[in-house]
Amino acid sequence: MKDKDIYSVKMRASRNVDGVDKHISGAEKIVDKDDIAACVGALVSRGLNHEKGNADFLNIKLEHVKEEIMYLDALPVTTIDVETWQDGHKEILKFLNEMNLRNASKILEFIDETYSMRGAMLLDVNILERLEEDQSRGIRATYMDAARDNNEVLSVEKNHYMEAIVLATKVSYCPGMVGEICISDDPGYVTGYVASKECGYRRITKMKESGSENGGRIFLFDSTKASISEAIDYLQNKKVLVRNVKPLNFKEKKDPMQVLKSVTDSMKENNLYRTMKTLETKEGVHIKIDGKEYVLMASNSYLDITAHPKMIQKCKEVLDKYGVGSGGSRLTTGNMDLHEELERKIAKFKNTENAILFNTGYVANLATISAIMKNGGVIYSDELNHASIIDGCRLSKAKIVVYKHNDMEDLKNKIEANPSDFSMAVSDAVFSMDGDILNLPEFVRICKDHGVLSMIDEAHATGVIGKTGHGIVEHFNNTVSPDIIMGTLSKAVGGEGGFVAGNNILIDYLRNTARGFIFSTSLPLVTVASDIAGLEIIESEPVLVERLHENVKYFCDYMSDNGYAINSETAIIPIIIGDEKKAMEASEILMENGFFVSAIRYPTVAKKRARLRIAIMSSHTKEELKRAADILLGILVSA
Ligand code: PMP
């Protein structure tokens, strides 16, 4: 508002009932000159069409405001929900007692006297005497409105709540005023309030019976603090604009950064906060953190070939020839011969017609599932599937039906209970946090019988299971083949990237629809080189996979022989601890003893299913595995 051309607009509407003038509506605004026409029009309409009846008389009074305007901040609001008006009156008493008014219950008795009055009662709280000159009319607080920002649209719709805040705020700043009690005389509005500068504005949700016209207000005045004439002059003449008047359902905007911080704070309280350890070495069986050496038993680099000489050699050659970045997506300028060579290698490795490369395994799952199921249908998903599968399902338009972990009977039942003419079942091949293997023959058979597409995630299977590390199909003696084989090159293969292998129809479809493939720059060539080299190393050095299998067996047998029965056919061995804090402590003890083993907590696994996730590498020595097992057994015995 511009402070110079400001006007006070008042509207009073009354109705002639049996020859007597009866007040039905009144309102006032403080507005810019430019807003007068709109304001007057709206107030006239409001006065003429009132629920108490149509007005017979309506006055509009317009005054130019020349004196200085007092700006006040709206009283803070609290709501007190009550069931009955009697409870509402108890809340008034509570308020009066809080104000240290000796005559609390007597003050409340005065409310009956206000019902017939147009204005408010001005009551001296010390001597309980009324101070208004005209006691049938009472005192009227006028000349107030909500302050508006420059671009805020003028609103003249009746809003009991916001008008009441404006009035209560003006009254609470009156010299000598200790508080106010208000019950609306509107028959349809039973909420009232008590207010004071100290207590703020307390909405009390029931102050009278619905339908009753009994309403009124008492201004509680302390004549030892200010003169009556000063108070009356303030109430009747001071021009007040109240800032920050918020609608009832207004929610204070929180600082977005504080909202984020509250999430991480709560994680800290619940032992779910995560920090990163910084490795000063390559990812290999022996690492260094803060200058101290550890045996790594937490890595997905199961064959420990990230820095294999052949891998480094291949990357160097490719770096010299191609540089690093690919500069475009596969469908634009970023499709090099090397990307295609890798896809051919993957297809061969997985014994499928074709394959498609993604930048990570995570993206492979997201892009593939969401592309295939983009028009709806049903996805049947194992309850322990990896987050990237879950996110892919969420990104699709399909109904998601979760079946019990590796429970093929439940999968079949869920398919039959939730039939669809287009559906897919998806499962980890090796479960990333439990280390168990999908019952692939049953999975594929059930899917085929029911016309359901079968998809598996071989992130922890590729390079790990199967006699020569070719994955779950080899593990089951090449007797079955799922429709969609997804995997990553970032774990046993030692590079980076995700893939999907399958028939030509599938790969052709994904190249044309998978958004994570289409809209992302393709993998850098050095990475592609590392993936090619990784697959070649697995093929040419079968001893790596053999040693991995031996190590897993050795570790499990040693633990079992010494009192803790475990068994795993994969590189992942979970030791379930349960409590998050205890799992963290166990991991710390292992660290103190020179072994890096991760504690896995919610949300990676369910709450109270925290665990140590032992990950075996082909490069661990028997001695290292034995030492780790001994420390672990010590922890488990004392836990
Ligand atoms: N699927 C599973 C089962 C995984 O464990 C992971 C990685 N933790 C991924 C997919 C994602 O692969 P990437 O790390 O290559 O993004």
Side-chain angles (χ1 to χ4, degrees), residues 265-273 580-581 601:
D265 283 350
S266 137
M267 285 173 144
K268 283 178 189 164
E269 275 166 33
N270 295 302
N271 297 308
L272 296 172
Y273 183 74
E580 282 76 23
K581 193 153 179 267
R601 292 164 288 165

Side-chain angles (χ1 to χ4, degrees), residues 211-373:
S212 160
E213 285 189 21
N214 286 343
R217 63 177 83 227
I218 305 177
F219 295 157
L220 303 163
F221 179 71
D222 183 345
S223 54
T224 62
K225 291 188 177 155
S227 76
I228 302 165
S229 58
E230 191 189 354
I232 292 179
D233 183 46
Y234 171 91
L235 292 169
Q236 293 188 335
N237 299 314
K238 187 74 193 167
K239 313 301 185 282
V240 168
L241 280 171
V242 181
R243 291 191 182 112
N244 294 320
V245 180
K246 304 283 188 253
L248 184 53
N249 51 9
F250 179 82
K251 290 240 176 353
E252 202 62 54
K253 252 206 161 149
K254 293 184 192 148
D255 175 348
M257 283 299 163
Q258 287 307 313
V259 174
L260 303 189
K261 187 168 176 297
S262 69
V263 174
T264 45
D265 283 350
S266 137
M267 285 173 144
K268 283 178 189 164
E269 275 166 33
N270 295 302
N271 297 308
L272 296 172
Y273 183 74
R274 297 174 180 218
T275 53
M276 292 188 275
K277 296 215 166 53
T278 312
L279 276 63
E280 294 145 15
T281 48
K282 71 175 169 102
E283 179 92 352
V285 72
H286 299 124
I287 55 162
K288 227 185 230 178
I289 298 170
D290 282 339
K292 190 180 165 192
E293 280 195 14
Y294 296 91
V295 175
L296 183 58
M297 293 189 79
S299 174
N300 296 325
S301 178
Y302 305 116
L303 300 177
D304 198 2
I305 57 171
T306 58
H308 190 290
K310 286 184 194 159
M311 186 161 286
I312 290 173
Q313 180 58 33
K314 174 89 184 170
C315 289
K316 279 183 178 160
E317 282 166 19
V318 167
L319 181 63
D320 286 344
K321 182 173 173 199
Y322 293 84
V324 182
S326 74
S329 66
R330 294 286 300 282
L331 296 181
T332 59
T333 61
N335 181 39
M336 282 70 177
D337 47 2
L338 224 53
H339 292 108
E340 294 187 1
E341 184 187 328
L342 175 56
E343 285 175 338
R344 281 194 300 274
K345 269 213 145 49
I346 293 167
K348 192 155 171 271
F349 193 90
K350 290 294 175 190
N351 196 20
T352 56
E353 278 180 5
N354 213 330
I356 177 174
L357 194 57
F358 294 89
N359 287 7
T360 65
Y362 182 87
V363 171
N365 270 331
L366 238 63
T368 301
I369 299 171
S370 62
I372 292 174
M373 303 307 290

